[in-house]
Amino acid sequence: AQKITQTQPGMFVQEKEAVTLDCTYDTSDPSYGLFWYKQPSSGEMIFLIYQGSYDQQNATEGRYSLNFQKARKSANLVISASQLGDSAMYFCAMRVDNFNKFYFGSGTKLNVKP
Amino acid sequence: ETGVTQTPRHLVMGMTNKKSLKCEQHLGHNAMYWYKQSAKKPLELMFVYSLEERVENNSVPSRFSPECPNSSHLFLHLHTLQPEDSALYLCASSQDFRAAGGETQYFGPGTRLLVL
């Protein structure tokens, strides 16, 4: 069975500091993708970053990077230089390749303090 | 308009009402999805349509009835709902139902539903 776990219901970070949001996953399928989404209070889920299970290097997208540790089955999101606009819910998701069914974690609410 | 749009953004309805949620995608995608997001719970996939054909129905009660008249539009018809159905209903689309690599789903802003 596929499962995504986010153990941090809420996080605080000071503006301009870095923060790591945890995500662990479970699947027996060798080919899968890991995604992070941001959900502001407006409701829309915004795609941030993707990591494929066969990718050798950690994914990066601007201030977002994904710390992919395949043996530990973790895919933590690192946000560098936090901004006030980063305050939102963050969801980790997994998709087994060839089936567009996403498994989502329960989310982490990030609050960036000025 | 671009992306995925949903109307209405907010909806309050009584348990005996009938209402419909509408989703429209302007991305030329072939697959569309309905998700339910309740407080403090992971997103729950409700329905999946690929090329206007329903390919997945995750044990959703019959008081929720989806309709996909074409690949750009998706509806969720609501009838005799319960207070526990109050949630954010998100629509999403993707290029194809079977995907690999970094192909993501694109989400609409959601409809916040309150059932009294």
Side-chain angles (χ1 to χ4, degrees), chain B residues 3-4 25 27 29 31-33 91-95 104-107:
Chain B
V4 182
Q25 58 97 359
L27 301 168
H29 288 166
M32 297 187 76
Y33 311 78
C91 174
S93 72
S94 65
Q95 185 60 55
T104 183
Q105 294 181 353
Y106 294 84
F107 287 82

Side-chain angles (χ1 to χ4, degrees), chain A:
Chain A
Q2 334 293 345
K3 188 178 179 182
I4 289 279
T5 303
Q6 294 179 254
T7 57
Q8 306 155 311
M11 292 275 289
F12 284 91
V13 65
Q14 203 69 39
E15 191 179 10
K16 299 181 184 177
E17 292 185 350
V19 63
T20 297
L21 306 183
D22 294 341
C23 173
T24 58
Y25 62 93
D26 191 19
T27 181
S28 57
D29 203 289
S31 184
Y32 53 89
L34 297 158
F35 299 75
W36 276 92
Y37 292 87
K38 171 184 178 181
Q39 187 180 40
S41 56
S42 58
E44 185 174 355
M45 299 278 277
I46 302 166
F47 166 68
L48 296 178
I49 195 167
Y50 162 80
Q51 180 86 40
S53 59
Y54 295 117
D55 293 343
Q56 296 296 313
Q57 294 190 335
N58 288 342
T60 59
E61 288 286 347
R63 295 186 298 111
Y64 304 109
S65 61
L66 200 152
N67 185 1
F68 181 45
Q69 310 229 348
K70 195 170 183 177
R72 295 184 180 181
K73 292 191 173 180
S74 74
N76 298 338
L77 177 70
V78 180
I79 305 175
S80 63
S82 298
Q83 301 172 356
L84 296 178
D86 294 335
S87 294
M89 284 289 290
Y90 288 81
F91 291 92
C92 180
M94 176 176 66
R95 185 194 66 213
V96 171
D97 281 350
N98 296 316
F99 290 92
N100 212 355
K101 182 174 181 177
F102 280 68
Y103 299 87
F104 285 84
S106 53
T108 296
K109 185 171 176 59
L110 177 66
N111 283 291
V112 180
K113 298 186 291 184

Side-chain angles (χ1 to χ4, degrees), chain B residues 11-17 19 80-87 112-116:
Chain B
L11 179 63
V12 180
M13 59 186 290
M15 289 190 284
T16 58
N17 292 155
K19 296 287 184 183
T80 333
L81 294 193
Q82 304 298 311
E84 59 264 29
D85 297 322
S86 299
R112 291 191 186 276
L113 173 66
L114 177 63
V115 182
L116 301 175

Side-chain angles (χ1 to χ4, degrees), chain B residues 27-97:
Chain B
L27 301 168
H29 288 166
N30 294 320
M32 297 187 76
Y33 311 78
W34 278 118
Y35 287 88
K36 176 184 179 182
Q37 186 178 24
S38 305
K40 300 181 181 178
K41 292 176 70 175
L43 265 71
E44 301 171 56
L45 179 64
M46 299 175 72
F47 301 104
V48 182
Y49 276 82
S50 176
L51 295 170
E52 300 132 52
E53 187 176 329
R54 190 189 308 180
V55 296
E56 189 147 343
N57 174 352
N58 277 1
S59 303
V60 179
S62 59
R63 56 186 184 269
F64 295 92
S65 174
E67 178 191 2
C68 188
N70 55 63
S71 60
S72 299
H73 293 86
L74 184 65
F75 294 89
L76 187 63
H77 303 299
L78 316 173
H79 175 50
T80 333
L81 294 193
Q82 304 298 311
E84 59 264 29
D85 297 322
S86 299
L88 178 68
Y89 288 85
L90 290 164
C91 174
S93 72
S94 65
Q95 185 60 55
D96 294 293
F97 173 57

